[in-house]
Amino acid sequence: MITLELMNSSEFQEYLNSAIKSYAESNVQSGNWSEQESVSKAAEQYAQLLPDDEKTANNKLFTIRSDGKEVGMIWLALKPNNKGVIYDIKIREDYRGRGFGKQAMEEIEKVGREFGIRSIELHVFAHNPIARNLYEKLGYKETSIVMAKEI
């Protein structure tokens, strides 16, 4: 059983530092950005999405806990027209494979309903089949697909 607790400022700073690096790496791996520009582009996008850090309006950043221990995080943004976006979910490496991701996704849907959200969307990199499989099992459907070919 997990709980979702709003992040405090030190948890947010720890998350932000690792998230920028991870997001930059994923965009390089996907061929979207060059390695040289990746960290600055990732930092710029996070600054735009979260100008007031964890206190940014209409954004809920949660620490995922199990038995009081931090096992991960999840970020839900509240959008117009009763929509939500999960911008990020991370389970710490030493806690993966134990169902915490699935539980967090189910809990964030409950949180979303409390805020009047009727649908939630998310982005998943194609090179992350474990996450794609989880989202499909939870009922998420592909709404668009971007394809690329090296030439």
Side-chain angles (χ1 to χ4, degrees), residues 105-116:
M105 294 292 290
E106 291 168 345
E107 287 299 310
I108 208 70
E109 288 176 14
K110 292 177 189 174
V111 169
R113 279 188 213 97
E114 291 171 12
F115 285 104

Side-chain angles (χ1 to χ4, degrees), residues 126-144:
H127 63 262
N128 192 344
I130 293 171
R132 288 184 65 170
N133 186 44
L134 171 63
Y135 304 146
E136 287 171 4
K137 284 181 181 176
L138 290 168
Y140 286 78
K141 306 286 184 218
E142 293 177 351
T143 57
S144 70

Side-chain angles (χ1 to χ4, degrees), residues 46-95:
Y46 274 88
Q48 288 174 354
L49 290 169
L50 296 168
D52 295 320
D53 296 337
E54 78 281 2
K55 294 182 173 105
T56 300
N58 298 317
N59 286 269
K60 306 296 179 191
L61 291 105
F62 296 96
T63 299
I64 304 166
R65 297 194 192 283
S66 175
D67 296 325
K69 294 179 184 161
E70 180 182 337
V71 299
M73 64 74 55
I74 191 166
W75 170 12
L76 176 67
L78 312 173
K79 299 294 183 179
N81 301 317
N82 302 94
K83 294 185 180 189
V85 176
I86 296 173
Y87 276 116
D88 204 356
I89 176 172
K90 292 229 180 357
I91 303 299
R92 293 172 55 139
E93 210 167 312
D94 48 335
Y95 289 99

